[in-house]
Amino acid sequence: MLSTPPSGPRASRGVRTSRSPHPTTRGGIHKRNGGPIRVDRDGDLDMDVTPGSGRGSIQGRGNRGRGQVQNQTTSTRPAARNPFPRGSLDPATIQKAIARGLSSGNAILREQKGGIRMAGVLSEAAGDRRNRHLTKGLDQITVRGWTESKAASNVGGGIKELLGFLERKATPANAPESEMVRIKKSHTRGDTLYIYVKPEDTAKIARLDNFSFAGAPLKIEAPPPPPPPPPSETISSETTQLKDKMAAMLTRRYNPELRLLDLSALGTDPEFANTGMFDTAARQSKFFPALMKVCDSVFTSLEQKREAVVSVTLANNNLHNLSSVTTLSQTFPELKNLDLSNNDLKNMAAIEVWRWRFRLLDHLVLAGNPIETTEPAYKDDLLKWFPKLRTLNSVQVRTDEEIAAAAPKSRLPIAVHPPSFRDEATIGETFVKNFFVGYDTDRSALASAFYDTESTFSLSINVSALRASETTETRPQPWDFYIKKSRNLTKITTLPGRMDRLYKGTEKVRDIWLTLPSTRHPDFATESEKWCIECHTLPGLPDPSGQSAGGVGGMIVMVHGEFGEVDVSTNNITGRRSFDRTFVLGPGGGVGGVRVVSDMLVVRAYGGYEAWKPNVQPQTPPTLQYQSPEGFGVGLPGKSDEQVQKELLAMELTKATGMILEYSGMCLEQSAWNLEEAGKAFEQVKATLPAEAFI
C-alpha cells in the first residue's frame, strides 16, 4: 500500500491541511471538513464558500479545487488552470442560453427564491453545440398535422408511429435494405416535427404530402431542390467563343419567312473556315453534333422546333454518308423539306441511318449525288422509308390519295369499328369527363368523391406494347415510379405479392395515386380523336346495402388514351405515355350517386392513337336496277306536264326506297305529292308492307 498520498490536484481531496485536528497519512478521497456546513434558508446545501474561509475561495459550484483560485496568499497549489476547461460553457454561451430559455418559456422558476433553474436551458445549449454535426449533410423536413391524428393520444404523442409510417410509405415496395428510407434524426417543437434525411430521400418523403396518418392529413414541407450548378469554370475561353460563333452562325443562316435553316457549305463559312474544324474527319464528326446542341439551346421545346424550322438544307457539304449529321433527325424530327443536293452520296447505304426517320418528310432533294446513276431505282426505297414523301427532286412522285392508300393497315384480321358507347342517362359520359379532369388537378378530392372502403385499384405496366415513332416527347420514359407498384399477373405470380398490389379503400387508393407522377390528359372537346371510350351496362353487381340478393345494375367503362407526365416545378410535359383504364361503376354514395367498384389501370409506352381509328368504309347501297315502263316520266302527246312531274317523283321515290312504281305513286298521293313527306311516311309503314311492294 502506498504510504504517501497521490500528487496533483486530487491530493487535496484526501489529505487534511495543517488546520485539521485529525490529520491522516492515508491516501484516497475523503469528505472535506474544512469548515462549518452552510445551508440556505430552504435547508439546501450551500456549495458557495465565502471569501477568507477554509483554504480560500473557489469559484464555481462543485469544482472541488479546479476553479480559479482567488486567494493566492493562502493557497499552496499550483497556478490556476484555464478558467473555461474543455466541455464547459463560457459566459457568452450561458447568457445566450438564458436569453433563449426566457424567450421560449423553457426556463423553470423557483418559487421559493425567485431564481432561475438553468440546468435544462444550459444542457440544451450544450447539446445543440455538441450535436450540430449530427445533421450535417442531411435535409431538414417539417411535418405538421400529426397532432390531430388518433395516434396523438398514444404514449409519446404518436411520434414513434409517425416516423415508422413515413419510412414505410416513402420506401418503394420490395426495395432492398440499401434503398430503404431512413429518418436519421428527429425532434419536435410545438406542433411541428422536424426530421432529417439523406438528400436522395427528400423527394420520397415530400411525395407523402397530404397523406392520411391515423385519420389526419399530413402537411410536409421539404427544402426546394438545389439550383442547377453554375457552368463549370474549367470551360476554356476557346470553347465559349466557339459556342458563341455557332449561335451567331445559326442566327445569320436562319430565314424566318421561309422557316429555313441553311446549313449548306459549312466548310466554307467565313466564321469557321480558318478554325481547323473541317481539317480532319474526326473534327468534322464532332462539329455537327455540337451545332445541334446549340440548336437545342435556341429552340428549347418540340413545339418551338416544329413552328420555327420546316426546312433544312445540307447541300454542298461533300457528305459521303450521313453518319456525321445523323443528329439532325433527333433535333428536328418533324421536318417537312430536306435538301441533300450536291454531296457525294453514292448508294442507299449512305443514307440508311435516316431510314424510318423524318416521318413527316414531304420533299427530299438528292440531285447532284452519284446515287442518281448508281442506283436508278432508289426512288422506290425512299417511298418506303419516308411514308409521307410526295416530292423528290422537285418532281411529284405520288399523290395524297396514294399516300393514304399506302398507309399501314391494321395488322388484325378483324376490321376496326367505331367504339360502342351504350350509356344510360349520361352516367358514363358524366363520370369520364369528371374523372380525368379531377385526376389531373386534385386526386385526393377525386378519391373521396367516387371511392369508398370497398373500392379497389390496381396498376400494371406493359413494357412490350407497340410504340409509335419516336419524338422528343414520346421517346422511351423510365418506369421507376410504376414498376414497384405494378400488378402484372404475368410477372407477379405469388399470392402475397398480388394482394399487396391490390389497393382497397379510399385512403389506400389516394395514397398510391399521390406517389405517381402528375399528369395532363388531352381535352375531350378539342382532342377527341385521342380518346377511345366504350361503355355498356353490367348487371348483377353486389349490392353494397345488402338489400338486393340478386345484385344491382352497374356499368363498365373502358378508356384508351394517352397522358403527358408533368414536371410540377415548370408545369411542362416531360414525356407521354399511353394507357388503358377499365372502371366498374355501381350505385353508391359518390358524386351523382355513382361509386367506383373496381379501377384497373394499364400504363404502356406511347403508341399513338391510330390503332382505334375505324377502317371500315361506309357501305354504299347498291344501285337498284328497275326498268320503268316505256314512256314513263317522259312528255308525250296528250300527257300533261303535271302528270309527267308526278311520274318523275314516283321514280325518285322508287330509287330511294326500293318500292315498285305503283306503291310509290300511292305513297306520294297520300302525301299530297310531297316527296319529303312521302319518305317519312314510308319509314313509318315499311315494316308492314308486303314483299310484292318492293322491287
Side-chain angles (χ1 to χ4, degrees):
M1 178 180 292
L2 296 174
S3 59
T4 59
S7 61
R10 286 185 177 271
S12 62
R13 300 180 185 177
V15 181
R16 297 181 184 270
T17 64
S18 59
R19 291 188 288 271
S20 176
H22 302 288
T24 178
T25 59
R26 292 185 301 165
I29 301 174
H30 296 270
K31 183 177 180 181
R32 294 181 291 177
N33 295 319
I37 299 176
R38 298 175 56 87
V39 296
D40 59 20
R41 62 183 178 182
D42 298 318
D44 296 328
L45 181 63
D46 192 345
M47 300 300 293
D48 296 326
V49 183
T50 59
S53 64
R55 294 167 293 170
S57 176
I58 310 298
Q59 271 192 339
R61 180 181 177 185
N63 280 341
R64 301 192 180 189
R66 297 184 185 181
Q68 183 180 8
V69 179
Q70 294 196 4
N71 191 350
Q72 296 289 349
T73 60
T74 60
S75 175
T76 59
R77 301 185 182 190
R81 297 186 177 184
N82 184 352
F84 311 120
R86 184 176 182 179
S88 67
L89 296 174
D90 61 87
T93 304
I94 295 175
Q95 292 174 3
K96 293 179 181 178
I98 293 172
R100 184 168 62 252
L102 289 173
S103 62
S104 62
N106 292 334
I108 304 174
L109 302 181
R110 293 181 58 182
E111 296 179 0
Q112 296 90 339
K113 302 178 70 174
I116 300 176
R117 193 184 302 273
M118 296 178 293
V121 178
L122 299 180
S123 175
E124 179 188 352
D128 287 347
R129 188 180 65 179
R130 290 193 299 268
N131 298 331
R132 191 174 297 131
H133 69 281
L134 296 179
T135 60
K136 186 177 182 180
L138 302 177
D139 283 353
Q140 175 184 281
I141 300 176
T142 60
V143 183
R144 298 183 179 88
W146 54 276
T147 54
E148 305 297 326
S149 68
K150 299 175 183 178
S153 59
N154 296 353
V155 178
I159 300 297
K160 180 179 179 181
E161 292 82 356
L162 176 59
L163 296 177
F165 172 84
L166 294 174
E167 291 181 339
R168 191 167 58 253
K169 291 295 184 180
T171 300
N174 300 326
E177 182 73 21
S178 59
E179 296 180 9
M180 290 185 176
V181 176
R182 298 298 184 195
I183 297 175
K184 301 297 184 181
K185 186 175 175 61
S186 66
H187 66 85
T188 60
R189 186 174 300 166
D191 293 340
T192 303
L193 171 67
Y194 295 86
I195 61 175
Y196 299 86
V197 299
K198 294 180 179 179
E200 56 266 28
D201 293 335
T202 300
K204 300 176 183 177
I205 294 287
R207 285 198 295 268
L208 304 184
D209 187 31
N210 291 325
F211 267 44
S212 178
F213 168 67
L218 298 177
K219 181 62 178 176
I220 299 177
E221 296 181 3
S232 175
E233 297 180 357
T234 59
I235 298 179
S236 65
S237 59
E238 181 181 353
T239 303
T240 304
Q241 292 176 3
L242 183 59
K243 288 185 176 180
D244 293 341
K245 286 184 177 181
M246 288 183 175
M249 183 191 71
L250 290 174
T251 303
R252 177 166 37 86
R253 285 172 168 258
Y254 175 66
N255 187 329
E257 295 180 357
L258 300 177
R259 294 192 287 176
L260 166 67
L261 184 59
D262 184 0
L263 301 180
S264 62
L266 291 175
T268 60
D269 189 277
E271 291 288 340
F272 295 94
N274 299 323
T275 60
M277 289 299 303
F278 303 98
D279 292 346
T280 63
R283 288 192 173 187
Q284 292 180 24
S285 64
K286 296 178 181 179
F287 176 82
F288 199 83
L291 188 62
M292 292 297 100
K293 286 288 186 182
V294 177
C295 283
D296 287 333
S297 66
V298 175
F299 308 105
T300 56
S301 67
L302 181 63
E303 288 80 8
Q304 287 184 354
K305 295 174 182 177
R306 182 189 303 121
E307 295 298 325
V309 179
V310 174
S311 307
V312 171
T313 174
L314 287 169
N316 301 300
N317 278 303
N318 196 30
L319 295 174
H320 304 291
N321 55 58
L322 302 180
S323 58
S324 61
V325 295
T326 183
T327 50
L328 180 70
S329 63
Q330 301 169 14
T331 305
F332 300 104
E334 299 185 8
L335 278 182
K336 298 292 184 65
N337 308 297
L338 179 60
D339 180 10
L340 293 173
S341 62
N342 299 318
N343 282 291
D344 192 27
L345 304 174
K346 296 182 174 63
N347 48 44
M348 293 299 295
I351 59 176
E352 192 171 10
V353 293
W354 280 347
R355 182 179 184 179
W356 302 113
R357 304 288 181 175
F358 300 120
R359 307 297 290 171
L360 302 180
L361 188 64
D362 180 80
H363 186 184
L364 176 64
V365 180
L366 284 171
N369 283 277
I371 192 174
E372 292 184 292
T373 56
T374 57
E375 292 196 23
Y378 73 98
K379 181 188 75 171
D380 298 333
D381 290 331
L382 291 177
L383 295 179
K384 297 177 183 178
W385 289 5
F386 305 110
K388 301 289 186 181
L389 186 63
R390 184 175 51 177
T391 306
L392 179 63
N393 297 334
S394 302
V395 177
Q396 184 173 354
V397 291
R398 58 181 170 183
T399 63
D400 293 339
E401 291 74 16
E402 291 173 329
I403 292 176
K409 301 299 188 300
S410 172
R411 300 183 182 182
L412 297 175
I414 303 174
V416 179
H417 292 269
S420 173
F421 197 84
R422 290 173 285 173
D423 199 359
E424 286 192 1
T426 68
I427 293 175
E429 178 185 355
T430 303
F431 170 79
V432 169
K433 288 182 177 179
N434 290 334
F435 181 89
F436 289 99
V437 172
Y439 190 82
D440 290 343
T441 57
D442 191 346
R443 295 179 185 175
S444 296
L446 178 67
S448 300
F450 289 108
Y451 294 71
D452 59 20
T453 55
E454 297 300 318
S455 301
T456 61
F457 168 77
S458 63
L459 164 70
S460 177
I461 61 173
N462 182 359
V463 297
S464 59
L466 295 176
R467 303 171 185 265
S469 57
E470 183 179 323
T471 64
T472 303
E473 286 189 356
T474 62
R475 65 182 55 174
Q477 303 293 321
W479 296 100
D480 298 352
F481 289 106
Y482 300 94
I483 196 166
K484 296 295 184 181
K485 308 171 184 67
S486 175
R487 195 174 182 257
N488 190 330
L489 299 183
T490 63
K491 306 293 183 181
I492 309 299
T493 57
T494 64
L495 181 60
R498 291 178 173 182
M499 297 307 297
D500 286 344
R501 291 167 174 80
L502 182 63
Y503 305 97
K504 185 176 181 180
T506 306
E507 291 187 4
K508 289 187 177 180
V509 172
R510 178 178 59 241
D511 291 349
I512 194 64
W513 280 359
L514 294 177
T515 65
L516 301 177
S518 299
T519 57
R520 186 183 302 155
H521 290 78
D523 182 71
F524 283 104
T526 60
E527 299 177 288
S528 59
E529 73 278 1
K530 296 182 179 180
W531 295 89
C532 179
I533 307 173
E534 296 188 302
C535 169
H536 61 79
T537 56
L538 188 66
L541 292 178
D543 184 2
S545 64
Q547 298 178 359
S548 175
V552 294
M555 187 172 291
I556 184 169
V557 180
M558 294 159 286
V559 184
H560 312 279
E562 65 183 68
F563 60 81
E565 292 184 351
V566 180
D567 183 350
V568 294
S569 62
T570 62
N571 201 35
N572 292 332
I573 292 179
T574 58
R576 292 193 180 274
R577 299 185 193 274
S578 294
F579 75 93
D580 311 287
R581 199 158 191 166
T582 303
F583 302 94
V584 175
L585 307 180
V591 175
V594 176
R595 64 182 283 264
V596 174
V597 179
S598 172
D599 175 6
M600 294 186 293
L601 171 63
V602 177
V603 182
R604 49 192 171 86
Y606 181 75
Y609 50 88
E610 301 290 334
W612 53 74
K613 282 188 175 181
N615 59 11
V616 177
Q617 300 297 328
Q619 295 183 354
T620 303
T623 303
L624 297 175
Q625 300 295 331
Y626 178 69
Q627 188 68 34
S628 59
E630 184 178 357
F632 193 84
V634 179
L636 296 174
K639 185 186 294 187
S640 66
D641 293 340
E642 181 182 1
Q643 181 63 28
V644 173
Q645 186 66 29
K646 289 180 178 180
E647 291 177 355
L648 292 174
L649 288 175
M651 294 176 65
E652 289 295 326
L653 187 59
T654 295
K655 292 179 181 179
T657 62
M659 292 188 299
I660 61 176
L661 288 173
E662 181 182 358
Y663 275 83
S664 294
M666 290 189 296
C667 185
L668 284 166
E669 186 175 2
Q670 295 174 4
S671 303
W673 295 97
N674 186 309
L675 185 60
E676 184 177 354
E677 294 297 328
K680 293 179 181 179
F682 168 77
E683 292 296 333
Q684 294 175 357
V685 300
K686 67 178 180 179
T688 63
L689 294 176
E692 58 268 20
F694 297 92
I695 299 174

